[in-house]
């Protein structure tokens, strides 16, 4: 591979994963994902994070080409999730004297995952520094962005934030590595899907991390997934700030679960009424067809959400239950919402959606609409109030 220089003595050594179908064996990867890692070849040499095991040979070869026979002095572990840590053992084999730079919350994980004891670890605490020669590194503890041991490494010399999961994105880097080399329109959606599905639950901790980084000058953001930011790092910061504050765009997501098409008819009818109110961003999703990660992404993006479910065993449809479970865990806030459903005998969809929705910090805009059997227009008048108030 051609060497990719980020800044003076700092190299990108990431790989693209186009084989994996599901990130964390859960989240679809239709556009793949990149694992980014960085080498600082200074008077002392450091590797920042590794990658998920699978591209071992190319990765080790690239590091070797940059180091040109020199020793690797430090391996900085910002985060222990195996998509960034599972090459640690191989790095140790290649460079037996390497010191693992980590904070104390990572110690037990290093031991249990990779059998690494404290004699191999260089412990860092919040605000500690590490002098590589030209580059001086500063460590900032940012717990829960994404795991408890997560930290960010900041290079004070060239103002580089090695942010690991923060500012990361799904999607492989197809030639373009830097923000000025790509069409960001594609990555914005995948970056938000990564945020909403992986990091969003910890939005309040993202805000705490922002408070700590407020006074830092940032010329580069080098995340561990997705594009590297060198032209406009402020754009990535603004997006993360917006998403972690639960700020959203005008628009409505209507997610429905329908067994025989009656609940779907209601979704279409409501969407038309909302459109007549002048709303342009309306997305209808069949929860049995579209993976929950894409629906969550749009719910994070837009201000309003309408959930509709047929009755199923006197409760809501299982696929709607799955969406509700994820919503409860990931907890997008400050939404306008409404509910609807259909049933054949004694109801259940709306009856179980109501207690779910009361657990969310959302605002109901109009009473739920529930209809027996096939919906008739005269039975759907309740949708008019929803359509008027949902934005
Ligand atoms: Fe990309 Fe939390 O790992």
């Amino acid at each position: 591979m051609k060497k990719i220089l980020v800044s003076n003595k700092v190299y990108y050594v990431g790989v693209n994963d186009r084989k994996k179908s599901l990130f964390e064996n859960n989240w679809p990867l239709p556009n793949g994902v990149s694992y980014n890692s960085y080498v600082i070849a200074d008077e002392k040499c450091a590797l920042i994070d590794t990658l998920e095991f699978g591209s071992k040979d190319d990765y080790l070869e690239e590091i070797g080409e940059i180091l040109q026979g020199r020793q690797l002095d430090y391996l900085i572990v910002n985060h222990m999730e195996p998509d960034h840590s599972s090459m640690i053992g191989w790095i140790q084999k290649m460079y037996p004297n390497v010191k693992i730079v980590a904070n104390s919350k990572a110690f037990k994980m290093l031991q249990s995952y990779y059998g690494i004891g404290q004699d191999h670890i260089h412990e860092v605490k919040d605000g500690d520094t590490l002098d590589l020669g030209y580059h001086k590194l500063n460590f900032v503890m940012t717990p829960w962005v994404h795991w408890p041991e997560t930290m960010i490494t900041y290079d004070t010399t060239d103002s580089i934030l090695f942010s690991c999961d923060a500012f990361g994105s799904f999607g492989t880097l197809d030639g373009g590595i830097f923000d000025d080399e790509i069409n960001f329109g594609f990555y914005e959606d995948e970056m938000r899907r990564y945020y909403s599905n992986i990091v969003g639950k910890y939005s309040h901790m993202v805000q705490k991390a922002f408070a700590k980084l407020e006074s830092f000058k940032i010329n580069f953001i080098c995340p561990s997934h997705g594009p590297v930011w060198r032209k406009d790092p402020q754009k990535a910061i603004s997006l993360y700030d917006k998403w972690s504050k639960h700020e959203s765009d005008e628009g409505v997501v209507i997610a429905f679960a329908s067994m025989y098409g009656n609940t779907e008819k209601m979704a279409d009818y409501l969407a038309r009424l909302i459109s007549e109110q002048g709303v342009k961003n309306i997305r209808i999703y069949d929860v049995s067809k579209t993976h929950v990660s894409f629906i969550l992404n749009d719910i994070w993006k837009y201000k309003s959400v309408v959930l509709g479910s047929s009755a199923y065993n006197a409760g809501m449809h299982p696929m709607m239950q799955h969406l509700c479970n994820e919503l409860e865990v990931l907890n997008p806030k400050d939404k306008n919402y409404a509910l609807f459903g259909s049933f054949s005998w004694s109801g259940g969809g709306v009856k179980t959606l109501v207690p779910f929705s009361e657990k969310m910090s959302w605002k109901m805009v109009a009473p739920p609409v529930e209809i027996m059997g096939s919906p008739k227009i005269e039975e759907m008048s309740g949708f008019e109030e929803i359509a008027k108030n949902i934005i």
Side-chain angles (χ1 to χ4, degrees):
M1 263 292 280
K2 208 166 178 296
K3 285 182 194 165
I4 298 165
L5 193 65
V6 175
S7 176
N8 195 4
K9 304 173 194 286
V10 179
Y11 296 86
Y12 172 91
V13 285
V15 301
N16 287 311
D17 187 345
R18 298 187 177 91
K19 290 198 178 84
K20 188 190 279 291
S21 306
L22 296 172
F23 187 76
E24 297 178 340
N25 224 2
N26 192 32
W27 312 104
L29 291 173
N31 305 300
V33 67
S34 73
Y35 311 113
N36 305 345
S37 172
Y38 303 89
V39 173
I40 305 179
D42 206 332
E43 286 167 33
K44 296 276 185 187
C45 297
L47 178 66
I48 300 185
D49 291 316
T50 68
L51 41 84
E52 180 152 352
F53 187 80
S55 306
K56 169 175 80 69
D57 294 342
D58 289 351
Y59 178 61
L60 294 176
E61 211 171 282
E62 251 182 84
I63 294 170
E65 273 171 25
I66 291 165
L67 294 181
Q68 294 285 309
R70 296 173 64 197
Q71 275 308 302
L72 184 67
D73 299 287
Y74 301 108
L75 166 54
I76 295 166
V77 177
N78 282 324
H79 180 24
M80 277 296 296
E81 190 164 6
D83 55 330
H84 309 294
S85 71
S86 60
M87 287 294 292
I88 290 178
W90 281 96
I91 296 293
Q92 269 198 319
K93 261 189 205 148
M94 291 279 292
Y95 305 100
N97 297 322
V98 70
K99 277 284 176 197
I100 311 285
V101 179
N103 67 73
S104 60
K105 286 184 184 157
F107 292 178
K108 272 193 186 164
M109 297 181 197
L110 282 163
Q111 178 65 53
S112 62
Y113 272 100
Y114 308 114
I116 294 171
Q118 290 211 16
D119 45 334
H120 294 283
I121 296 174
H122 174 93
E123 181 183 355
V124 288
K125 297 189 170 72
D126 200 27
D128 278 358
T129 56
L130 185 66
D131 192 342
L132 301 179
Y134 173 77
H135 288 279
K136 324 279 181 208
L137 304 180
N138 186 355
F139 301 96
V140 185
M141 301 303 125
T142 52
W144 297 107
V145 186
H146 159 221
W147 278 12
E149 85 299 353
T150 317
M151 66 181 191
I152 281 176
T153 299
Y154 176 67
D155 170 37
T156 57
T157 312
D158 286 354
S159 305
I160 308 172
L161 209 60
F162 296 98
S163 60
C164 204
D165 277 345
F167 309 108
S169 172
F170 289 134
T172 51
L173 296 171
D174 299 341
I177 305 286
F178 299 95
D179 59 335
D180 53 294
E181 297 177 332
I182 58 168
N183 180 347
F184 184 65
F186 163 77
Y187 286 99
E188 180 166 350
D189 240 21
E190 282 293 71
M191 189 171 170
R192 192 188 327 91
R193 193 165 67 91
Y194 185 85
Y195 182 81
S196 54
N197 290 232
I198 309 295
V199 185
K201 174 179 170 56
Y202 309 106
S203 288
H204 60 297
M205 299 307 286
V206 173
Q207 280 296 312
K208 280 194 179 177
F210 272 138
K212 281 178 114 169
L213 297 170
E214 201 172 25
S215 61
F216 286 38
K217 181 182 170 201
I218 297 170
N219 287 341
F220 300 84
I221 297 176
C222 293
S224 292
H225 303 287
V228 175
W229 296 80
R230 68 179 175 189
K231 182 169 181 244
D232 191 6
Q234 195 51 48
K235 181 166 184 162
I237 293 168
S238 302
L239 287 172
Y240 251 61
D241 192 38
K242 174 181 175 179
W243 299 334
S244 58
K245 284 178 176 161
H246 298 272
E247 292 172 359
S248 48
D249 300 343
E250 183 182 287
V252 184
V253 177
I254 303 174
F256 72 86
S258 186
M259 292 165 66
Y260 299 107
N262 294 316
T263 311
E264 181 173 10
K265 265 188 208 160
M266 295 171 77
D268 275 321
Y269 187 81
L270 173 61
R272 184 62 203 150
L273 292 182
I274 296 171
S275 174
E276 284 171 353
Q277 297 293 319
V279 178
K280 292 203 165 62
N281 295 316
I282 306 169
R283 303 295 309 142
I284 299 183
Y285 287 110
D286 180 341
V287 294
S288 301
K289 184 181 171 200
T290 303
H291 190 275
V292 69
S293 77
F294 297 96
I295 306 173
L296 288 164
N297 182 24
D298 267 352
I299 290 177
W300 216 282
K301 180 177 185 180
Y302 292 120
K303 176 71 182 169
S304 305
V305 54
V306 186
L307 303 177
S309 179
S310 61
Y312 194 99
N313 289 336
M316 69 176 89
H317 189 280
M319 298 305 284
M320 179 55 71
Q321 186 67 62
H322 179 48
L323 173 62
C324 290
N325 291 347
E326 290 294 347
L327 284 167
E328 204 177 331
V329 170
L330 299 174
N331 199 17
K333 296 183 197 294
D334 301 333
K335 302 291 171 195
N336 293 334
Y337 83 97
L339 306 172
F340 66 97
S342 68
F343 64 98
S344 303
W345 23 292
S346 64
V350 167
K351 192 170 69 190
T352 44
L353 279 168
V354 168
F356 150 74
S357 67
E358 287 169 352
K359 288 186 262 180
M360 307 299 290
S361 46
W362 296 356
K363 182 181 153 209
M364 188 184 263
V365 300
V369 175
E370 193 170 32
I371 292 172
M372 182 172 181
S374 180
K376 319 286 179 304
I377 285 190
E378 58 275 18
E379 294 172 316
M380 292 195 279
S381 57
F383 278 146
E384 280 162 30
E385 195 181 345
I386 294 177
K388 265 188 215 135
N389 298 338
I390 196 69
I391 288 292

